[in-house]
């Protein structure tokens, strides 16, 4: 088959993989697969939920239901088939059992349990394997997975909704709503695609957010609160929704009164107590702890101090700025606190910037890692 046709069918698999994006599959990657016979896609599948069948297995089941002879077909899959048993059997065994003779793989799986082993297992079974077809696109789809599986740390996206002059609230603290409905709907889709959403106590007290998924369909992520003295009231929306979805996890310090720790846990929150730092809490330690809890994809939603701390620590992988066509002036609250930047060369810069219009607002996204 020609390279152009291989790329064409891999793009079909990528489209399927993109449908799997969201916290339902985490910590597994988003994977799509298509089966091609006589230069035509005849069956397909994508990984829908962690612990359930992988993309290849679902594509084979689709083919079997249609009576397709897989011995004459090719399999296109965006990520190297797994060669180890987890919550599901190894996909390489399923591929070999079908009798299929050709497999086209988008990218190597960075998971040390898989990396290269899947391809070697297929080749040992006499299957022709073509490797690294649209590998950049396939890995980019799972940038969060690549970081998590290789470092144990969550992939961090910083999300802010600001005015044209970078403000998040008026001088009196009014912040609802800076952006319009379309932007807020998109922001909720980002929550639904994340394992956890994090805010600081300033945002929790001022805005009283619930951080649950609304306006779109999706699972509620874990809600994460940084509160070094546990000043957030236990009758807040975060506590009221503590038992929903991924639950509420609070990171605090030994400066928090023990009585408040007891009350927070009684309200349903998981409370982690760290030694205090000069900035309150160590964000690198928070991220390591979240990674150990299985959080692979973290969305930071504010406030200004948390955003600044994350940027200064070099912890942000991607930024998403929703910008409203509004101006509030110098007495309004900034979206990001002081970064201590003295020269332009030291300023964080987005790479691979993308712009999207959402009603009257604009979304600017880019990578920082």
């Amino acid at each position: 088959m020609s390279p152009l046709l291989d790329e064409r069918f891999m793009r079909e698999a990528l489209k399927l993989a993109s449908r799997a994006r969201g916290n339902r599959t985490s910590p597994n990657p988003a994977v799509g697969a298509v089966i091609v016979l006589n230069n035509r896609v005849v069956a397909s599948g994508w990984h829908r939920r962690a612990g359930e069948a992988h993309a290849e297995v679902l594509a084979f089941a689709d083919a079997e239901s249609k009576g397709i002879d897989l011995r004459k077909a090719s399999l296109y899959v965006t990520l190297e088939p797994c060669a180890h048993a987890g919550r599901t059997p190894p996909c390489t065994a399923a591929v070999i059992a079908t009798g299929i003779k050709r497999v086209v793989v988008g990218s190597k799986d960075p998971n040390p349990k898989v990396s290269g082993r899947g391809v070697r297992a297929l080749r040992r079974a006499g299957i022709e394997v073509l490797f690294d077809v649209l590998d950049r696109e396939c890995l980019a789809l799972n940038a969060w997975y690549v970081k998590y599986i290789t470092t144990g740390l969550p992939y961090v996206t910083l999300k802010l909704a600001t005015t044209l002059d970078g403000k998040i609230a008026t001088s009196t603290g009014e912040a609802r709503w800076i952006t319009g409905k379309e932007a807020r709907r998109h922001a909720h889709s980002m929550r639904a695609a994340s394992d956890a959403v994090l805010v600081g106590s300033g945002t929790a007290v001022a805005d009283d957010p619930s951080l649950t998924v609304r306006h779109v369909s999706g699972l509620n992520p874990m809600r994460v609160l940084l509160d070094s003295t546990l000043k957030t009231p236990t009758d807040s929306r975060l506590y009221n929704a503590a038992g929903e979805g991924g639950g509420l996890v609070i990171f605090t310090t030994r400066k928090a009164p023990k009585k408040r720790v007891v009350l927070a846990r009684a309200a349903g929150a998981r409370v982690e107590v760290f030694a205090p730092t000069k900035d309150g809490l160590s964000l690198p330690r928070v991220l390591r702890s979240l990674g150990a809890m299985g959080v692979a994809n973290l969305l930071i939603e504010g406030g200004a101090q948390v955003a600044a701390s994350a940027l200064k620590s070099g912890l942000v992988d991607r930024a998403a700025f929703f910008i409203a066509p509004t101006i509030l002036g110098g007495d309004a609250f900034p979206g990001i606190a002081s970064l201590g930047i003295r020269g332009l060369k030291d300023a964080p810069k987005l790479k691979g910037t993308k712009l999207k219009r959402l009603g009257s607002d604009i979304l600017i996204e880019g990578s920082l890692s």
Side-chain angles (χ1 to χ4, degrees):
M1 195 171 292
S2 73
L4 286 177
L5 278 175
D6 285 331
E7 290 189 4
R8 171 188 155 193
F9 294 127
M10 188 59 70
R11 291 192 192 282
E12 292 296 317
L14 272 167
K15 288 178 186 177
L16 288 169
S18 67
R19 296 173 68 173
R21 296 180 71 178
N23 58 20
R24 289 181 173 86
T25 63
S26 184
N28 293 346
V31 181
V34 297
I35 293 171
V36 174
L37 182 63
N38 298 325
N39 292 338
R40 185 170 64 89
V41 174
V42 293
S44 61
W46 70 93
H47 185 44
R48 290 172 168 82
R49 189 184 295 270
E52 295 185 2
H54 289 186
E56 305 94 312
V57 174
L58 291 172
F60 293 146
D62 186 28
E64 184 179 0
S65 71
K66 298 171 181 175
I68 294 167
D69 186 354
L70 290 171
R71 293 172 298 178
K72 299 177 181 179
S74 295
L75 169 69
Y76 289 76
V77 60
T78 55
L79 196 69
E80 178 182 10
C82 61
H84 68 289
R87 283 192 277 181
T88 59
C91 289
T92 49
V95 174
I96 294 167
T98 65
I100 206 163
K101 299 302 181 186
R102 185 172 186 263
V103 175
V104 182
V105 177
S107 64
K108 180 187 291 185
D109 191 332
N111 187 338
K113 294 180 179 179
V114 181
S115 190
R117 296 180 184 179
V119 170
R120 288 195 295 272
L122 297 179
R123 285 175 173 164
R124 281 197 300 268
I127 297 173
E128 176 192 349
V129 181
L130 183 61
F131 205 32
D132 287 347
V133 176
L134 300 182
D135 60 317
R136 288 186 181 180
E137 291 92 331
C138 291
L139 282 176
L141 182 71
N142 288 304
W144 60 271
Y145 169 75
V146 174
K147 180 183 179 183
Y148 177 71
I149 207 68
T150 56
T151 68
L153 297 173
Y155 184 89
V156 179
T157 300
L158 173 63
K159 190 224 86 179
L160 289 175
T162 75
T163 60
L164 284 173
D165 51 346
K167 309 298 182 180
I168 57 172
T170 67
S171 59
T172 62
E174 184 182 350
R176 292 182 178 174
W177 297 102
I178 292 287
T179 54
K181 290 182 179 180
E182 289 186 39
R184 296 201 298 275
R185 188 179 300 114
H186 190 91
H188 278 263
S189 71
M190 293 177 67
R191 283 184 187 173
S194 302
D195 297 320
V197 181
L198 181 150
V199 296
S201 57
T203 296
V205 172
D207 297 345
D208 192 21
S210 66
L211 301 183
T212 54
V213 174
R214 304 181 302 281
H215 310 303
V216 298
S217 62
L219 300 178
N220 285 326
M222 175 192 295
R223 274 81 67 204
V224 180
L225 173 63
L226 305 185
D227 192 343
S228 59
T229 60
L230 288 181
K231 67 180 182 180
T232 306
T234 53
D235 61 354
S236 67
R237 292 180 183 177
L238 275 175
Y239 279 99
N240 289 338
E244 296 182 21
L248 172 63
V249 177
I250 301 175
F251 291 92
T252 189
T253 70
R254 293 170 190 158
K255 289 184 178 181
K258 291 183 178 179
K259 182 178 180 181
R260 292 184 187 175
V261 174
V262 172
L263 288 173
R265 287 173 173 157
R270 172 174 175 173
V271 182
E272 299 289 328
V273 183
F274 291 168
T277 67
K278 64 177 182 179
D279 295 322
L281 277 159
S282 166
L283 271 180
R285 187 175 178 188
V286 167
L287 258 63
R288 287 195 297 272
S289 182
L290 289 173
M293 294 179 196
V295 174
N297 202 333
L298 175 67
L299 181 66
I300 295 179
E301 291 203 8
Q305 202 63 55
V306 172
S309 296
L311 287 168
K312 285 192 291 186
S313 301
L315 299 174
V316 179
D317 298 291
R318 189 168 185 81
F321 285 69
F322 295 83
I323 302 176
T326 309
I327 299 170
L328 291 180
D331 59 344
F333 287 89
I336 301 174
S338 174
L339 294 175
I341 294 170
R342 296 190 176 185
L344 285 174
K345 64 180 178 62
D346 301 318
K349 294 180 178 64
L350 298 187
K351 295 174 285 187
T353 307
K354 295 180 180 179
L355 277 72
K356 183 175 184 176
R357 182 139 189 184
L358 297 165
S360 59
D361 306 313
I362 295 173
L363 170 61
I364 301 177
E365 293 181 281
S367 173
L368 279 162
S369 59

